[in-house]
Amino acid sequence: MAIIPDDSDLATRRSTAVIRFVEGAGGTQLEQLTTLFKRHESEGVRTFLIDLDGVSYISSTALATLVQLRKKADKEGYDFQLINVSHHIHEILRTTRLLKFFFGDEA
């Protein structure tokens, strides 16, 4: 299973987009995440909060997508944060040595 964006739970407040993820399967949903990111970027959003509440598993493909979006955000000077990260996902990020990449010195 992979994490997928739930477009119905998308909230945009001024220059912040909160995208809630749920567990599920399919690369199409990861493409939707990239599309949502680009759409909100073009609308002036400069802060992206990726809500992982309730996500207990993340595929390598989903993780790679998040890494790609984080790199783009860093390059463009946007804020990109993972929020509501479970202990299990936190451990996956630590094991893959991505904890500091996503959380900086807070890791």
Side-chain angles (χ1 to χ4, degrees):
M1 293 208 301
I3 56 174
I4 59 173
D6 181 356
D7 195 31
S8 65
D9 286 334
L10 176 68
T12 303
R13 293 180 196 94
R14 297 186 189 178
S15 64
T16 300
V18 179
I19 303 172
R20 182 174 169 262
F21 277 68
V22 295
E23 287 191 38
T28 302
Q29 290 83 10
L30 294 174
E31 290 174 20
Q32 288 175 344
L33 171 62
T34 302
T35 300
L36 283 172
F37 184 93
K38 289 177 182 177
R39 184 181 84 201
H40 291 295
E41 178 185 32
S42 71
E43 293 171 353
V45 171
R46 297 299 178 256
T47 300
F48 296 87
L49 304 177
I50 310 301
D51 188 353
L52 299 176
D53 187 38
V55 175
S56 60
Y57 173 80
I58 185 168
S59 72
S60 59
T61 304
L63 196 53
T65 300
L66 291 174
V67 166
Q68 175 187 11
L69 293 176
R70 172 62 192 249
K71 285 181 178 180
K72 179 170 178 45
D74 287 349
K75 180 180 175 186
E76 300 295 331
Y78 307 152
D79 188 22
F80 184 95
Q81 297 177 35
L82 303 181
I83 60 172
N84 297 319
V85 178
S86 70
H87 176 74
H88 183 70
I89 299 298
H90 188 272
E91 286 302 305
I92 290 171
L93 294 173
R94 185 185 61 75
T95 301
T96 57
R97 298 181 185 192
L98 289 170
L99 197 58
K100 192 168 187 172
F101 175 75
F102 282 109
F103 296 100
D105 293 331
E106 296 174 23

